[in-house]
Amino acid sequence: MRWDAQALRPVPGDSSGSSAAVAAPATAALLPLAGLVRSVSTPEFSGITFHEVAAKSVLNKVVAGSSMPFEWTVNPYRGCSHACVYCFARKSHTYLEFDPGLDFDSQVVVKINAAEVLRKELARPSWGHHHVALGTNTDPYQRAEGRYRLMPGIIGALADSGTPLSILTKGTLLSRDIPLLKHAAAQVPVGVGISLAMTDEQLSETIEPGTPGPRARLKLISRLREAGLPCGVMAMPILPWLSDSDEALDALFGSLAAAGATGVTAGALYLKPGTREWFMQWIAGNRPELAGRYRRLYGTGSYASKEYREWLAGRVRFFKSKHGFSGSQGFSHRDVNDDPRNDEAQYPAGSLPLPAEAHRDGTRQHPESTVLQPTLF
């Protein structure tokens, strides 16, 4: 395994004082994880346990009836050490009998055979070479990817099979794979999206403590663009009273324009069950003066009030226009109505693969898309 160089298996009688990781055999595991090989903890990732599993399948079919602009996803990790307080994927951890709070941040499931299984699945005669989206649930470039190195094999398998792909991440480790992505983009349509919704380094460190900071992600955007790759930005979530001031939005969109982002979609904080409880606990402990405001703004639902969403949509349009992002679209709740479940979002240009025809024609332009897509959440 990828951890062998760090002497994962404890050596009986070892008194050297080394910082070797500890590997628990699968039989000692308390959790009923299908395909569990072993559970690993190491001082390098203090407080985090990695549950290595041998997956039987990694291609996930998007549920029938979804209007997402892709039909298939691959998530090599479940749980995420980025520990974003607002992460919308938290509830998915409960399906594994983990809790959506601390467990989501510290109990990470790793599909150690993801690339090998994917390559077999893509070789089936029935595979239709549909767009496969990476990073739709938890981040494929969270810090452990530096050890497990799952993404190079996954990207290679998709490109070699003629399958278009897209990646959404906060992880600057993506820069490691820029040469591989350039090679893939010569074979198939490729989209790249970076998640960045604030430029305040202190706020980022507090509310998304495991992520690379905003400056690092802005540099990643520039590196992707310099390499000739597209890069759309998901400016989500905009946080009421924390990152929604004119100064904050001006700095955000100005920085994204300077970095060369091909498009931007912004949206307000979304508090679905599982995320809501964890976020409200964080607000109460870290910004208690805002706790009552958030309860009033969100009521008992997942969405901010209609009035707030209308106001934020207007500010987003203004600052997008000011900083040269074409069109007035690109707000995740653009069509503000009484039922926000019907809200539409525009995926930022560059974050989804170009149509195959444009790719074959050599088209590399990524103007702001005019095609509306459902909100990412």
Side-chain angles (χ1 to χ4, degrees), residues 3 5 52 275 290 306 317:
W3 298 88
E52 299 178 348
T275 301
L290 296 179
K306 176 181 177 180
R317 285 192 292 268

Side-chain angles (χ1 to χ4, degrees), residues 176-248:
R176 178 199 67 191
D177 292 342
I178 286 178
L180 181 58
L181 284 171
K182 289 182 65 177
H183 179 71
Q187 300 172 267
V188 297
V190 170
V192 182
I194 301 300
S195 178
L196 178 58
M198 63 190 75
T199 57
D200 185 328
E201 296 282 337
Q202 184 175 0
L203 177 60
S204 175
E205 186 175 352
T206 302
I207 205 163
E208 43 187 32
T211 67
R215 283 192 296 269
R217 277 177 271 170
L218 287 167
K219 290 179 181 178
L220 174 60
I221 294 168
S222 295
R223 288 194 62 183
L224 287 163
R225 299 298 291 127
E226 289 165 2
L229 292 165
C231 185
V233 173
M234 305 303 298
M236 298 179 181
I238 304 298
L239 304 167
W241 302 294
L242 292 172
S243 62
D244 64 350
S245 68
D246 279 1
E247 293 78 12

Side-chain angles (χ1 to χ4, degrees), residues 119-200:
R119 194 170 286 275
K120 292 178 181 178
E121 291 181 306
L122 297 174
R124 293 171 179 166
S126 59
W127 174 240
H129 302 88
H130 307 287
H131 164 207
V132 172
L134 308 167
T136 59
N137 191 47
T138 53
D139 203 308
Y141 283 102
Q142 55 183 289
R143 197 160 61 96
E145 169 62 16
R147 287 289 180 184
Y148 284 103
R149 298 185 62 87
L150 301 179
M151 286 298 288
I154 290 171
I155 293 169
L158 291 167
D160 291 347
S161 71
T163 300
L165 66 121
S166 65
I167 297 171
L168 178 62
T169 183
K170 290 186 175 78
T172 52
L173 185 58
L174 173 66
S175 63
R176 178 199 67 191
D177 292 342
I178 286 178
L180 181 58
L181 284 171
K182 289 182 65 177
H183 179 71
Q187 300 172 267
V188 297
V190 170
V192 182
I194 301 300
S195 178
L196 178 58
M198 63 190 75
T199 57
D200 185 328

Side-chain angles (χ1 to χ4, degrees), residues 108-123:
V108 178
V109 177
V110 186
K111 301 173 186 177
I112 55 175
N113 62 338
E116 294 85 350
V117 172
L118 177 62
R119 194 170 286 275
K120 292 178 181 178
E121 291 181 306
L122 297 174

